[in-house]
Amino acid sequence: MIEIQTVIRIDPESRIPKYQQIVNSIIEDIEKGSLNVGEKIPSINEISEEYYLSRDTVEKAYNLLKKKKIIVSVKGKGYYVARNVSQSQVKILFLLNKLSNYKLRIYNSFVNSLGTNAQVDLNIYHCDPKSLLNLLNENIGAYDYYVIMPHFKDDYSHHQSYNEEVIDCLKRISPDKVIIMDNYMPDLGDEVASIYQDFKMDIYKALKEGSARLQKYEKLILVYPEDSLYPYPQEIKQGFKKYCVEYDMDFEVLNTIYPEMDLMPHDAYIVIEENDLVNLIRQVREENYELGEDIGVISYNDTPLKELLGITVVSTDFKVMGETAAYMIKKRKKEVVKNVFNFIDRGSI
């Protein structure tokens, strides 16, 4: 009979799900050498009976271990340890709110900066707080670090930076293990590391930096997609309006670039989405206007293609954001840092 109490450790007072405690126990024993590759582990029935757990709970734990290829089942014989789990690797759960070129640039910069001594598992929660909560609850205790980009949407697809349930869940994780990226969550306090954008003041200061170029235009137009599948922070709109009011500029906020826009000379556009940028430039060319002279264009968030095409941008530095988060993990630092945000003039304004 296997002495299963030396393998599985269940704390009935812990808020970590029981199936996750089983997973953690087996991984810890493999790491410290108590369980070796090829060694048999307790059956689902043995653990279920010993700890008064449902078979579904134990089976869920074993399915997770099989998915990670840590254990393997042999028909008619049971479950065996399939591979070693490296003690030297830092295990990181990276949670993105959406899959976009910008977010992936942060992720790739983060992974490349960490090097080979880290295992980074990427998950997308699609701005849905319930999906994020499920991912966090399923994995509490399973990782050394949790890197999260907190952007949510409500029932009306409006952007939200704050979600009380998510805050409460994150407070159950040691603050030393949490890194917040891209968006600041003040309710977590300065005990939690953060590399964030200040969406309101970033665009305000960037436009202020470009004022010498913008003053030749009579009207400034922000193309802010209200009905986007993944909503943008309302603070972008607030910072834009703050600049226009303080600099006494006529302004308008549009939801999209419409077909056959009524383009007027001496208008300048700030465009967030790529499709709107393409549609606007196409119409500018069709109307034989000169970009940067008759019509001004600023794009939100930089890409190599915009650099190649000579499009002026206001943008955070995605590479630096990923590098900073990786640096904090490698050096075990816990800081709250506002990421750099730039006005880059390339002649389209």
Side-chain angles (χ1 to χ4, degrees), residues 30-178:
I30 295 172
E31 286 179 338
K32 68 185 182 184
S34 300
L35 283 172
N36 300 308
V37 174
E39 190 169 345
K40 190 174 183 180
I41 62 173
S43 71
I44 291 174
N45 285 336
E46 285 174 319
I47 295 177
S48 176
E49 291 170 8
E50 176 74 16
Y51 294 100
Y52 305 101
L53 298 171
S54 71
R55 288 190 86 263
D56 288 346
T57 297
V58 184
E59 192 170 9
K60 185 173 183 178
Y62 276 34
N63 284 338
L64 280 173
L65 289 165
K66 286 201 295 181
K67 186 177 179 181
K68 293 176 181 287
K69 303 189 186 304
I70 292 171
I71 66 172
V72 63
S73 60
V74 179
K75 190 172 181 179
K77 293 187 177 181
Y79 295 88
Y80 296 82
V81 177
R83 68 175 177 87
N84 283 320
V85 182
S86 172
Q87 284 181 297
S88 63
Q89 275 201 330
V90 177
K91 292 178 288 187
I92 301 164
L93 181 61
F94 199 105
L95 297 170
L96 280 178
N97 63 299
K98 65 178 180 179
L99 198 59
S100 70
N101 289 333
Y102 309 115
K103 305 290 182 176
L104 286 176
R105 285 167 66 191
I106 298 172
Y107 172 76
N108 289 333
S109 172
F110 175 76
V111 171
N112 291 337
S113 298
L114 280 174
T116 57
N117 291 326
Q119 171 196 322
V120 184
D121 293 337
L122 175 64
N123 276 276
I124 318 295
Y125 66 92
H126 304 288
C127 293
D128 178 11
K130 290 182 181 178
S131 295
L132 176 59
L133 284 167
N134 288 337
L135 285 166
L136 288 172
N137 285 322
E138 285 176 4
N139 291 287
I140 286 179
Y143 289 88
D144 299 304
Y145 289 95
Y146 300 80
V147 181
I148 303 135
M149 292 190 185
H151 293 279
F152 314 113
K153 59 182 177 181
D154 62 17
D155 294 337
Y156 304 97
S157 291
H158 295 150
H159 181 274
Q160 291 183 324
S161 297
Y162 176 85
N163 182 280
E164 188 173 348
E165 289 182 280
V166 172
I167 295 288
D168 290 343
C169 183
L170 290 174
K171 285 181 178 178
R172 287 163 43 203
I173 304 173
S174 168
D176 295 330
K177 293 186 172 186
V178 177

Side-chain angles (χ1 to χ4, degrees), residues 249-304:
M249 287 198 72
D250 187 19
F251 69 90
E252 185 176 2
V253 178
L254 301 180
N255 184 53
T256 188
I257 293 294
Y258 300 94
E260 301 179 7
M261 286 277 293
D262 189 12
L263 297 178
M264 298 292 291
H266 309 300
D267 283 353
Y269 290 80
I270 301 169
V271 186
I272 294 178
E273 291 204 332
E274 305 284 299
N275 286 341
D276 285 323
L277 177 63
V278 171
N279 291 336
L280 176 60
I281 292 177
R282 181 185 293 117
Q283 292 186 52
V284 168
R285 290 176 177 174
E286 288 172 352
E287 294 292 326
N288 294 318
Y289 286 124
E290 186 176 347
L291 200 63
E293 290 297 330
D294 303 313
I295 303 286
V297 174
I298 298 174
S299 184
Y300 195 92
N301 288 334
D302 197 16
T303 65

